[in-house]
Amino acid sequence: MTMTTPRILLADDEDLFAVMLQRSLAMFGYDVVRARNGREALAAYNPAGFGLVITDLIMPDMEGVELIVALRKVNPAVKIIAMSGGGRNHPQAYLSIAERIGAVKSLAKPFPITALVQAIEECLRAAPASAPQPPATAPVTE
Amino acid sequence: MNDFVQRALRAGPVMAAVVALLLVFLTNHAVQELIDDSQRVVRTMQAREGAENILKLLLEEGSTRHAWRVTGEDSQRVLMEQAGRAALRKLATVRALTSDSPVQQARLHQLEPLVRERLELSARRPGPQPPANPPPPGAREVQLEGIRLITEIRALVNALVAEEDALLAKRTAASELSARLTVGIIVTVSVLGILGILGAAGLLRHELRVREQAESSLRQGEERFRGLLEAAPDAMIIVDGTGCIVLVNAQAERIFGWNREALVGQKIEVLVPERVQSAHVAMRTGYAAHPDARAMGARRELSARRKDGSEFPVEISLSPLQTDRGQLITAAVRDVTVRRQADTALRETTARFRTLFDRAPVGVVVIDPATARVLECNELAARQLGYTLEEFTRLRIGDFEAAELPEQTCAHIQKVLTTGQDTFETRHRTKAGALRDVLVSTQNIELAGQTVFQCIFLDITERKHAEAAQRASELLHHSLMDHLPLAVFRKDTAGRFVYGNPRFCEALGRPWLEIAGRTDAELFPAELAAKYQRDDARVLATGTSLELNEENCGTDGVVRHVHVIKNPVHGPAGGIIGVQGIFEDVTARHRAEAALRESERRFRQLVHTLPAAVYACDAEGRITLFNEAAVALWGREPEIGQDLWGGAWRLFKPDGTPLRPAESPMAETLRTGRPVRGQELVIERPDGTRSRVLPHPVATRDSTGALTGGVNMLVDLTERLQAEEALARERRLLRTVIDNLPGYIFAKDAAGRYTVSNRAHVRLLGARSEAELRDKTVFDFFPPETARSYAGDDELMMRTGQPVLNREECVKLNGGCTWYQLTKVPLRDEADGVVGLVGIKQDITAQKLAEESVRQAEAKYREIFDNTVEGIVQTDPSGRIITANSTMARLLGYDSPEELIAACLNMDRDVHVKPGDRTSLLRRARTGGRDFIQCQFKRRDGRLVWVSLNVRVVRDERGEPRYFEGTCVDITESRRLEEQLRQSQKMEAVGQLAGGIAHDFNNIIGAIIGNVDLIRLLPGDHPGREESLDAIHSASRRAADLVRQILAFSRRQEAKRQPMELRTIIREVLKLLRATIPASVEFEVDLATTPTVLADPSEIHQVAMNLCTNAWHALPDGAGVIRVALAETEVDEALARVHPDLRPGRYVRLSITDNGCGMDAATLARIFDPFFTTKPAGQGTGLGLAVVHGILKNHDGGIVVESQPGRGTTFHLYFPVFATSVAEATVEPKALPQGNGAHILFVDDEKPLIEIGTTMLKRIGYRVTGTTNPAEALTWFRERPGEFALVLTDLNMPGLDGAALARQLRETRPDIRLILATGYSASVDAAAALQLGFSELLPKPYDFRSLAEAVGRALNLETHDHDHT
């Protein structure tokens, strides 16, 4: 069956991690566009083109938190998943900050891909009517 | 005997036959037994096999049936039926085979119905049918029934087989036993048979031998009889009763001239002269009537007749012989013709002897020993004693025998009676009564049946007289010869000694018996003998005497002088019959003469060699003798017999007035006959020189006391006078010396009296002259107490000879104190006896005072030296410790400076921990005169202490360092504090970094986990899997890098400086910082290629980290630019002056600049103080820059800080250049080194690592053997040490760790290449690995490349440039 593939904007400076995410999500049928930092991501974002933004929090040239703030300025309804490998002092703090400033979900690296996929699905399903249908193989939880 | 033989002959074969039969029987029986047993065994085996076969066949029947049913092929059915039949046949066979075993029969009985039932069951089962069809009802039951039957059958068959097995074992044993028995029987019986046959044969042989012996003895008897008959010396004739000849022997044939054959059977009368034939018949008849044995010769003369009719005289003996053929007569006939002729000849001879007897030229007398009467005598015998023949024949022995002892006569008679004859001398008295000497030869003879003495008398009176005269002469001769003091000998013409008197024998040293008959050659050495023989030959040839003086060397080596006269010996016929010698040993005389000559020679020599002038004059004063010394003294040689009273050229009196020789002492002695003494003379020689002499003239007299002359000895006094003068000179010299010596010098005699004193001593004792001191003692000059002490010393020395050497004494005088140093030594005479003493005394007061002040000064400084808190040490340029104070000693762990110096430490070798420290310190000190260093010392107990060491150079006059003076302070404690500070500061930094690192790690781990998930999700052949694996690999490498960085940063270890490029480490730092510092901080990096510096990477890391973090903190609001630059630079004099840490020269400069808040001058001045911080409390320790400063100082570098408030700060770190730039490693990865097929032993306790490593190494061309067990690896290696080219081992393994394994491997093969893999690079560094014997250290985790490169390096393989596929 055919369904619209939601495009996802991924912002992460870590090549290794970002490439892996890109490939994994492609496996699950997502179309992922990658940005190397917050600045690039902000430049690439447009509300129509991307159903979801996944961003790392610690990046050179605009950190994740900044990006979240900036994106919400562009589109207050933007759906964002934040992820982080932790910070200098209180790694969890970053993620809670991210959630507070607008991230729908936050994930601490490392995490299983399924957790991300689940998070993506949750985000997309929580969306208004325009939100895409989850794929058939996704586990049903409710 | 024959019977026995026959028996024996018969017994042999019989016995043999019996034995043979027995043998056959027994053997046959045993063999039969054996065959039976074997057959039984075979049967058992067959039965066993048969039983098994039954089962097999039944099973086969089942399987073929199954096959038939499935395939439907008829061939299978045929096979099935065959198997069934065969099983039944087998059953029958087994039954037959086991017919002797009821148990087995019973079993078979049980088995048979089962077999049949099974076969029937089988037959009942359905035939072929398609497999799709369901089995017919009941088939299952049938099948189960079949299985049950088979099970039962199998049980029975098994029982059968077991029984047969048991039987088989038993029967096999029985069969073996009977086989052995059979062999035994065969052997036994054979042996018995052979013994029997041998016995019979032996018996037979014995019997035959006995019979042969009997026959031969019979034959021998007959032969012996015949032999006897034939060998009889007489003719033997046997006749029968009718007078017919029965038997004759060869002798009979010979003497009668008849043939034996012709004679036998004739009448005996044929051998009798015809004239007595008839009488013979009658006599024969009569004898036959009364036969008795008659011996020969008892009858009158008989005659016999030869065949030719001639007669001859015979004697006959007869003896009767009774035989079964009647009476026979044996006659022995002897031809006596020859004897008759002999009798006749005897009678004629007797008559002739009578005549001889009567006219013999000797007296012959026949005496009857029984009556002692003269039986017969010849005329001469009678006439010799003045008797007529008639008168003499009436005499008895006693009438004329006049032996001196009558017993002798009896003895002679006795001897004749016993031995038959005797010859002796005796005396006979003549009729007129005169005594004659007579030689009597008596023989005991048989005369007409009577034993008589036939005596022959020979008158030897005249000869006796002659002999007596001869003997007397000889006695005289011998007596003379025996006592002659000369040796006398005589030799015959052949040179053999025929006589030698005792003196001669003595001279030869042998008894006469050994000399007699021998020649010179046998008695003397060859040379001597030859000489003697030559002399003898001359005497014999010329017939004249020879007189010789010989000098012989005896066998004892003593030379003997001999005077010899040799003359010829004339025989009675006047010819020369030998040589006679007389000789005398004149050795003693020779010796005396030689001794005299020698004595004279010695005397002359003595005189001539006397060092004193000696000469002699005769009574008239004429010079007769003088010696060489005299010639030398006189300067001329006088003429013997001419010069008078001496040989002087001119004489003077000591006062110089001339002296006539006639007035000389010698002349006076000759005149008066008395010696002159003490009158000195002056002798002038022809050359004008003079000598003063003292003459000692003495008169010489002969044995009668008459004056014969005089001897004078002239003693030259010149030298003595010179010596006396020299002595006086020496005394003066000595006197001057001792008088002017600075000390007080004196000598004392044994009694302690002063004998010598120098001027100073005289003054010391307060005297005016030495003479005043003479004969005085110490008691005259010193207070009694002091004097007693001196006298005591002297007395002791006199007694023991013990000197007083350099004794210091203090004499108190007028309140002051004078110090003396006194030496007294004993004075000895020639016999080494102490006869006095010599003393020398010096005033050392001034010296004493000086010493004392020095001592006090020294003590003062020593006090300071010893008690200062700094260690003070003096060392020579080689590093040897010359002096040290107590603090220094304690610092190095010694109890005292003496102990430290005695330990002979070398600073460089034994004290400085770091080898270069002292050298570099001294080098700097040499240029600047002094310098300091912080370094480590090794204490005696091995502990290390940190010291701050200041060194000053002390130079010699040429400006060369003579020694180095160092002061040092133990700064271990402050170092420790510093170290702690550094560590805590580092931990702070670590804390700061931890977040950043965690971030990096989480990213990496996230990537890994994600990729793993991806792989799981992707299908097996998806290229994305490969991509994920690559991603995992690079993520893992990054993680490893990160861990290495953290380790490098947090490693707590001593500084280890190594040549390195700062750029590398700075890059690492920046990487780490980037992860930590927010992106709001911008880094500007400008890292130029720089020369290497000697630096500790971890310390540089720490410094760079610290400064960068500081820079970050200095940025307002955490944003700004941090610039990091690295460049090579030259420090000039100006900069060096301002910054004492720097010296002019080339440096590498690391600059870290921030554009932050900057610092004011006051802050800037304090930044390197410990615990100074600008940060809020709790945010920093304030130690960072202090530590940075310390580190830079340790690197011989310096820090220059430039800062302006509000403009930012720059830290310039200067590191001295170690070497010019090294080419930076090319980024291009090199090709992996390829293996060479070498065999590698891979040891790691983690199995996966072995698998991976083995795979990797095999891929690039090595052979690999891997094990998780180090002990196993060691065993393999020891078995084949040459097999492995390399061993790669993990460090930490249970049981045997890598280091221990390496040690043992090396013991087995010292050149084995070893690689150590370890995950704890902190515990083992490269140097330690090398020390353990590893050529490479491979830090874990390692990737393919580092493994391949490490192995390649360890094996010295070139890295190939081309890529491998």
Side-chain angles (χ1 to χ4, degrees):
Chain A
M1 65 186 189
T2 55
M3 43 188 157
T4 42
T5 310
R7 294 181 73 207
I8 297 174
L9 178 62
L10 168 67
D12 197 332
D13 61 330
E14 292 285 344
D15 275 352
L16 273 170
F17 196 79
V19 169
M20 181 274 291
L21 277 191
Q22 215 173 350
R23 292 176 56 224
S24 301
L25 293 179
M27 280 278 301
F28 285 89
Y30 302 110
D31 183 7
V32 179
V33 174
R34 186 195 164 195
R36 290 185 182 280
N37 51 46
R39 212 181 302 281
E40 270 187 32
L42 191 59
Y45 181 75
N46 65 76
F50 296 98
L52 183 68
V53 177
I54 302 175
T55 180
D56 187 18
L57 285 183
I58 299 171
M59 291 181 291
D61 273 355
M62 190 177 288
E63 281 189 71
V65 174
E66 291 174 85
L67 178 64
I68 293 167
V69 173
L71 286 175
R72 284 188 61 90
K73 282 179 185 159
V74 178
N75 174 15
V78 66
K79 292 194 167 74
I80 298 169
I81 296 177
M83 57 186 185
S84 173
R88 182 152 40 91
N89 285 322
H90 304 289
Q92 279 318 114
Y94 278 88
L95 291 172
S96 57
I97 288 165
E99 280 190 28
R100 274 207 296 277
I101 59 172
V104 181
K105 285 278 173 186
S106 67
L107 293 168
K109 289 182 187 173
F111 46 78
I113 195 70
T114 45
L116 180 62
V117 171
Q118 198 174 343
I120 291 170
E121 289 307 316
E122 274 178 38
C123 277
L124 294 179
R125 251 188 307 115
S130 61
Q133 284 289 312
T137 49
V140 181
T141 51
E142 282 185 323
Chain B
M1 187 183 292
N2 280 350
D3 285 352
F4 189 81
V5 172
Q6 292 301 321
R7 252 197 333 269
L9 281 170
R10 270 196 308 274
V14 167
M15 205 178 273
V18 165
V19 166
L21 278 173
L22 193 64
L23 180 68
V24 168
F25 172 74
L26 282 175
T27 310
N28 200 33
H29 183 75
V31 169
Q32 195 53 53
E33 276 286 303
L34 178 61
I35 291 167
D36 286 355
D37 277 338
S38 304
Q39 277 173 354
R40 247 172 263 139
V41 170
V42 171
R43 249 194 347 264
T44 309
M45 285 171 78
Q46 282 171 350
R48 183 187 185 285
E49 203 184 338
E52 274 177 342
N53 277 344
I54 293 169
L55 184 62
K56 262 188 216 155
L57 287 165
L58 284 177
L59 289 170
E60 198 183 321
E61 191 264 354
S63 63
T64 46
R65 171 177 297 281
H66 187 74
W68 173 54
R69 201 174 73 230
V70 174
T71 61
E73 280 174 19
D74 261 0
S75 62
Q76 293 296 333
R77 191 180 51 84
V78 171
L79 282 173
M80 172 195 86
E81 285 164 5
Q82 275 175 359
R85 283 196 296 275
L88 287 174
R89 273 205 306 279
K90 253 321 161 214
L91 193 63
T93 313
V94 173
R95 192 192 298 265
L97 284 168
T98 59
S99 57
D100 54 348
S101 165
V103 181
Q104 294 292 69
Q105 287 294 321
R107 284 207 183 95
L108 286 168
H109 193 69
Q110 223 175 328
L111 183 62
E112 191 174 354
L114 285 172
V115 171
R116 289 193 186 283
E117 196 178 340
R118 156 85 192 184
L119 289 173
E120 277 163 25
L121 191 70
S122 181
R124 275 211 310 278
R125 293 179 78 176
Q129 50 195 260
N133 287 7
R140 177 83 181 148
E141 285 69 29
V142 172
Q143 194 182 353
L144 285 176
E145 180 63 16
I147 289 169
R148 187 189 61 78
L149 281 171
I150 274 294
T151 312
E152 275 182 33
I153 291 168
R154 178 173 286 142
L156 271 172
V157 165
N158 282 347
L160 271 168
V161 167
E163 179 70 25
E164 286 303 316
D165 274 348
L167 218 57
L168 184 62
K170 218 155 63 192
R171 285 193 176 152
T172 308
S175 159
E176 269 174 28
L177 187 70
S178 72
R180 230 172 284 149
L181 210 64
T182 308
V183 171
I185 287 168
I186 291 171
V187 169
T188 314
V189 169
S190 303
V191 168
L192 279 173
I194 289 162
L195 283 177
I197 292 165
L198 283 177
L203 201 60
L204 194 57
R205 203 175 297 130
H206 175 76
E207 285 310 322
L208 283 171
R209 203 161 51 238
V210 169
R211 208 177 68 174
E212 270 170 20
Q213 276 173 5
E215 282 173 352
S216 92
S217 78
L218 191 67
R219 251 192 329 272
Q220 279 172 7
E222 278 174 7
E223 275 166 13
R224 210 178 303 131
F225 172 72
R226 248 173 236 288
L228 277 174
L229 196 66
E230 291 300 325
D234 297 328
M236 300 298 290
I237 302 162
I238 301 173
V239 292
D240 62 11
T242 62
C244 284
I245 295 172
V246 175
L247 192 72
V248 294
N249 68 352
Q251 187 68 3
E253 286 179 294
R254 201 173 56 76
I255 66 172
F256 289 102
W258 285 89
N259 262 336
R260 194 178 300 222
E261 292 75 20
L263 214 49
V264 172
Q266 294 203 48
K267 289 284 184 189
I268 186 71
E269 276 71 32
V270 77
L271 303 175
V272 178
E274 284 171 13
R275 54 193 168 93
V276 289
Q277 271 177 357
S278 52
H280 188 267
V281 172
M283 192 182 68
R284 169 165 58 87
T285 315
Y287 182 82
H290 306 284
D292 56 346
R294 287 181 197 169
M296 248 176 224
R299 295 296 171 95
R300 57 201 168 96
E301 280 179 22
L302 297 173
S303 291
R305 189 171 68 124
R306 293 196 184 88
K307 195 183 178 186
D308 57 6
S310 61
E311 289 182 27
F312 59 99
V314 293
E315 280 180 1
I316 296 172
S317 76
L318 296 173
S319 60
L321 184 68
Q322 288 299 329
T323 71
D324 45 355
R325 288 192 287 172
Q327 182 173 273
L328 297 178
I329 297 174
T330 309
V333 183
R334 188 177 295 168
D335 182 348
V336 294
T337 317
V338 177
R339 210 172 69 201
R340 288 282 150 78
Q341 284 164 357
D343 285 350
T344 315
L346 182 64
R347 272 193 299 277
E348 287 166 8
T349 310
T350 307
R352 274 203 300 280
F353 271 107
R354 184 73 225 179
T355 318
L356 192 63
F357 176 77
D358 289 341
R359 295 178 188 174
V362 292
V364 180
V365 182
V366 176
I367 293 168
D368 180 0
T371 58
R373 276 186 177 285
V374 173
L375 293 177
E376 243 181 306
C377 72
N378 64 355
E379 223 183 290
L380 186 61
R383 204 169 56 232
Q384 274 178 350
L385 293 179
Y387 293 97
T388 64
L389 195 62
E390 292 73 21
E391 282 172 342
F392 197 76
T393 45
R394 280 198 300 275
L395 292 180
R396 299 159 70 108
I397 293 173
D399 296 333
F400 58 87
E401 177 64 37
E404 275 174 59
L405 301 166
E407 303 92 83
Q408 277 181 346
T409 314
C410 293
H412 293 313
I413 293 168
Q414 201 59 41
K415 191 176 174 195
V416 176
L417 280 172
T418 54
T419 67
Q421 62 166 45
D422 194 15
T423 300
F424 54 91
E425 282 179 19
T426 184
R427 285 189 309 192
H428 286 174
R429 190 176 292 112
T430 61
K431 192 178 173 188
L435 290 172
R436 306 293 296 180
D437 285 301
V438 186
L439 182 68
V440 182
S441 177
T442 305
Q443 208 160 9
N444 182 3
I445 58 167
E446 197 90 353
L447 199 66
Q450 191 180 0
T451 300
V452 295
F453 284 5
Q454 177 192 288
C455 308
I456 295 169
F457 295 162
L458 187 63
D459 191 326
I460 56 167
T461 311
E462 303 309 321
R463 201 185 85 198
K464 277 277 185 193
H465 282 305
E467 274 177 10
Q470 173 85 7
R471 208 155 33 241
S473 154
E474 270 177 15
L475 266 174
L476 175 65
H477 175 242
H478 277 290
S479 170
L480 269 175
M481 286 302 169
D482 285 353
H483 297 99
L484 203 61
L486 302 171
V488 177
F489 63 86
R490 196 175 267 192
K491 302 182 209 172
D492 62 14
T493 48
R496 284 189 295 269
F497 284 95
V498 292
Y499 175 76
N501 73 346
R503 190 55 73 98
F504 175 74
C505 297
E506 198 178 299
L508 261 62
R510 296 161 181 262
W512 169 243
L513 282 174
E514 282 184 21
I515 300 167
R518 300 205 172 167
T519 63
D520 289 325
E522 292 168 293
L523 295 169
F524 301 102
E527 206 179 317
L528 207 56
K531 180 196 175 310
Y532 292 156
Q533 282 166 357
R534 272 198 307 278
D535 292 344
D536 292 352
R538 223 167 90 195
V539 173
L540 289 171
T542 59
T544 56
S545 299
L546 196 63
E547 189 163 352
L548 299 159
N549 278 310
E550 290 173 354
E551 209 170 292
N552 300 336
C553 187
T555 46
D556 51 359
V558 179
V559 175
R560 309 203 74 84
H561 296 270
V562 181
H563 181 233
V564 191
I565 298 166
K566 281 188 176 173
N567 51 287
V569 180
H570 293 276
I576 294 171
I577 59 158
V579 179
Q580 172 174 283
I582 299 168
F583 69 82
E584 185 183 7
D585 189 337
V586 290
T587 311
R589 204 159 69 204
H590 265 272
R591 276 197 196 136
E593 279 168 14
L596 189 63
R597 272 198 303 280
E598 175 65 10
S599 151
E600 200 174 275
R601 194 185 59 76
R602 271 212 295 269
F603 169 69
R604 269 177 200 287
Q605 198 176 8
L606 179 69
V607 167
H608 276 286
T609 53
L610 262 182
V614 175
Y615 68 94
C617 294
D618 62 12
E620 277 72 45
R622 280 191 297 271
I623 199 156
T624 55
L625 179 135
F626 55 84
N627 70 355
E628 282 161 27
V631 171
L633 183 66
W634 290 325
R636 62 185 285 271
E637 203 165 317
E639 210 172 316
I640 301 279
Q642 290 297 313
D643 283 39
L644 287 172
W645 301 297
W649 180 247
R650 274 191 198 139
L651 286 175
F652 299 93
K653 289 182 186 161
D655 59 8
T657 53
L659 182 75
R660 289 191 301 115
E663 293 168 4
S664 68
M666 180 63 162
E668 195 184 332
T669 297
L670 287 178
R671 230 179 4 260
T672 62
R674 280 195 300 276
V676 176
R677 290 288 174 267
Q679 193 180 334
E680 293 184 11
L681 292 176
V682 174
I683 290 172
E684 192 184 271
R685 284 176 279 268
D687 63 4
T689 57
R690 292 185 180 193
S691 283
R692 190 150 158 186
V693 298
L694 184 63
H696 290 81
V698 183
T700 56
R701 295 168 195 281
D702 64 11
S703 51
T704 62
L707 192 80
T708 56
V711 175
N712 193 4
M713 186 170 79
L714 302 170
V715 178
D716 192 340
L717 300 175
T718 318
E719 277 178 19
R720 201 176 77 194
L721 290 173
Q722 284 168 354
E724 276 169 6
E725 208 167 294
L727 197 62
R729 255 198 323 273
E730 255 171 49
R731 285 176 73 90
R732 278 196 301 279
L733 176 70
L734 207 59
R735 188 74 231 176
T736 314
V737 169
I738 65 167
D739 273 345
N740 292 291
L741 273 177
Y744 310 101
I745 299 168
F746 55 88
K748 296 183 205 172
D749 63 11
R753 289 185 296 261
Y754 288 108
T755 52
V756 178
S757 291
N758 73 348
R759 238 176 290 170
H761 190 243
V762 171
R763 273 200 307 280
L764 179 73
L765 295 190
R768 274 188 303 277
S769 72
E770 192 183 357
E772 259 182 65
L773 300 179
R774 201 143 291 150
D775 292 341
K776 295 208 169 123
T777 66
V778 281
F779 291 99
D780 296 309
F781 302 100
F782 294 96
E785 202 177 316
T786 317
R788 264 200 298 282
S789 150
Y790 285 151
D793 287 348
D794 295 351
E795 201 190 334
L796 186 72
M797 196 189 309
M798 291 299 161
R799 225 174 37 238
T800 63
Q802 197 65 38
V804 173
L805 295 175
N806 298 325
R807 188 173 69 197
E808 290 181 0
E809 53 186 29
C810 176
V811 176
K812 291 195 172 61
L813 196 68
N814 302 332
C817 176
T818 309
W819 279 93
Y820 292 108
Q821 191 182 50
L822 177 65
T823 293
K824 288 198 277 195
V825 294
L827 190 64
R828 294 174 188 275
D829 60 8
E830 289 85 4
D832 217 26
V834 179
V835 293
L837 63 89
V838 179
I840 179 159
K841 196 164 165 185
Q842 275 179 302
D843 187 337
I844 54 164
T845 311
Q847 192 185 331
K848 274 279 176 191
L849 290 175
E851 277 174 14
E852 183 56 30
S853 71
V854 166
R855 197 156 41 239
Q856 280 172 4
E858 217 173 53
K860 195 164 74 193
Y861 288 109
R862 170 61 64 178
E863 183 85 355
I864 298 167
F865 180 72
D866 280 344
N867 295 310
T868 178
V869 290
E870 291 179 305
I872 300 174
V873 63
Q874 276 185 350
T875 56
D876 67 11
S878 76
R880 194 166 57 87
I881 295 178
I882 304 167
T883 320
N885 67 351
S886 331
T887 313
M888 186 70 200
R890 278 197 303 277
L891 180 76
L892 291 178
Y894 291 86
D895 291 337
S896 69
E898 291 74 25
E899 210 183 357
L900 170 62
I901 289 163
C904 281
L905 291 185
N906 182 297
M907 289 298 284
D908 226 0
R909 188 189 61 214
D910 307 315
V911 178
H912 277 280
V913 172
K914 230 175 87 188
D917 275 356
R918 185 166 184 272
T919 316
S920 73
L921 173 64
L922 294 191
R923 195 174 51 235
R924 277 180 282 143
R926 272 198 182 116
T927 46
R930 60 173 67 216
D931 211 319
F932 76 97
I933 193 176
Q934 283 192 1
C935 59
Q936 271 183 303
F937 277 2
K938 186 159 68 192
R939 282 166 55 90
R940 185 192 204 176
D941 55 14
R943 263 171 48 211
L944 304 182
V945 289
W946 276 98
V947 295
S948 161
L949 176 63
N950 255 291
V951 164
R952 184 174 76 89
V953 186
V954 179
R955 297 173 193 281
D956 62 13
E957 59 277 3
R958 285 185 315 236
E960 286 298 310
R962 187 194 291 158
Y963 59 86
F964 299 92
E965 244 175 35
T967 57
C968 57
V969 181
D970 185 347
I971 54 162
T972 311
E973 186 59 19
S974 58
R975 285 282 300 207
R976 196 173 60 76
L977 283 171
E978 199 180 314
E979 185 66 25
Q980 274 179 356
L981 294 181
R982 202 181 310 181
Q983 188 61 16
S984 68
Q985 198 264 340
K986 197 150 77 174
M987 290 324 289
E988 186 187 331
V990 169
Q992 285 177 353
L993 280 172
I997 289 159
H999 171 266
D1000 271 22
F1001 257 113
N1002 285 337
N1003 269 313
I1004 291 164
I1005 294 164
I1008 292 172
I1009 291 172
N1011 275 299
V1012 169
D1013 287 344
L1014 255 177
I1015 291 170
R1016 287 215 183 97
L1017 290 169
L1018 290 169
D1021 52 351
H1022 196 280
R1025 290 178 72 133
E1026 191 67 26
E1027 203 180 323
S1028 287
L1029 283 171
D1030 286 345
I1032 291 171
H1033 181 245
S1034 54
S1036 306
R1037 282 203 62 153
R1038 249 195 79 193
D1041 275 355
L1042 214 57
V1043 169
R1044 194 152 39 237
Q1045 281 174 34
I1046 295 162
L1047 281 177
F1049 182 71
S1050 64
R1051 190 182 304 144
R1052 185 180 191 281
Q1053 64 182 31
E1054 280 309 312
K1056 284 224 165 42
R1057 269 172 262 169
Q1058 61 192 58
M1060 61 170 290
E1061 256 198 296
L1062 289 180
R1063 190 157 61 155
T1064 327
I1065 204 99
I1066 300 303
R1067 276 190 186 140
E1068 259 181 53
V1069 171
L1070 290 173
K1071 222 163 155 186
L1072 203 60
L1073 283 170
R1074 192 61 274 175
T1076 315
I1077 297 175
S1080 57
V1081 177
E1082 191 183 333
F1083 278 96
E1084 268 183 37
V1085 180
D1086 176 15
L1087 304 179
T1089 307
T1090 56
T1092 54
V1093 296
L1094 206 55
D1096 176 357
S1098 84
E1099 285 188 341
I1100 301 302
H1101 200 285
Q1102 190 178 350
V1103 165
M1105 205 74 188
N1106 188 301
L1107 291 179
C1108 287
T1109 315
N1110 276 355
W1112 171 36
H1113 289 154
L1115 294 178
D1117 310 324
V1121 178
I1122 296 175
R1123 195 182 133 77
V1124 179
L1126 191 63
E1128 185 183 352
T1129 184
E1130 186 83 24
V1131 169
D1132 56 14
E1133 288 286 344
L1135 187 63
R1137 248 198 312 282
V1138 183
H1139 299 279
D1141 290 343
L1142 300 180
R1143 283 164 237 263
R1146 288 169 63 222
Y1147 282 81
V1148 171
R1149 187 180 65 190
L1150 171 65
S1151 308
I1152 295 161
T1153 310
D1154 66 73
N1155 58 354
C1157 54
M1159 289 177 282
D1160 57 19
T1163 313
L1164 199 58
R1166 294 184 57 202
I1167 53 170
F1168 293 119
D1169 292 353
F1171 305 109
F1172 175 82
T1173 179
T1174 55
K1175 293 177 190 169
Q1179 284 194 9
T1181 54
L1183 288 170
L1185 285 177
V1187 172
V1188 167
H1189 185 255
I1191 291 173
L1192 261 291
K1193 225 174 145 52
N1194 281 349
H1195 280 77
D1196 290 332
I1199 305 181
V1200 176
V1201 191
E1202 292 164 3
S1203 185
Q1204 280 186 317
R1207 298 280 295 276
T1209 308
T1210 301
F1211 281 83
H1212 294 294
L1213 309 183
Y1214 287 86
F1215 297 90
V1217 165
F1218 176 73
T1220 43
S1221 160
V1222 289
E1224 198 179 356
T1226 46
V1227 184
E1228 199 66 33
K1230 280 190 284 182
L1232 278 176
Q1234 292 296 295
N1236 59 351
H1239 197 167
I1240 296 168
L1241 183 56
F1242 201 112
V1243 192
D1244 199 309
D1245 60 331
E1246 286 180 48
K1247 203 164 164 46
L1249 279 181
I1250 289 196
E1251 279 165 6
I1252 292 166
T1254 305
T1255 315
M1256 284 177 175
L1257 291 170
K1258 279 180 177 165
R1259 255 191 69 196
I1260 51 170
Y1262 293 104
R1263 287 183 293 136
V1264 189
T1265 302
T1267 174
T1268 52
N1269 183 353
E1272 190 178 44
L1274 189 61
T1275 311
W1276 290 347
F1277 187 79
R1278 282 185 174 152
E1279 277 168 9
R1280 297 177 297 168
E1283 171 65 23
F1284 299 103
L1286 175 83
V1287 180
L1288 195 151
T1289 174
D1290 188 22
L1291 176 66
N1292 289 306
M1293 291 182 288
L1296 190 63
D1297 73 9
L1301 174 64
R1303 204 161 39 246
Q1304 303 207 26
L1305 291 172
R1306 289 227 150 217
E1307 273 171 25
T1308 309
R1309 185 178 146 201
D1311 67 336
I1312 183 66
R1313 304 296 177 92
L1314 298 167
I1315 296 179
L1316 180 67
T1318 172
Y1320 303 89
S1321 53
S1323 63
V1324 176
D1325 59 33
L1330 277 176
Q1331 223 165 19
L1332 287 172
F1334 291 97
S1335 47
E1336 281 291 329
L1337 183 66
L1338 183 61
K1340 274 183 175 178
Y1342 44 81
D1343 60 5
F1344 192 11
R1345 171 169 295 278
S1346 42
L1347 174 64
E1349 281 174 355
V1351 170
R1353 272 198 306 278
L1355 290 172
N1356 292 334
L1357 297 176
E1358 291 291 322
T1359 302
H1360 297 286
D1361 286 335
H1362 58 85
D1363 281 344
H1364 65 88
T1365 50

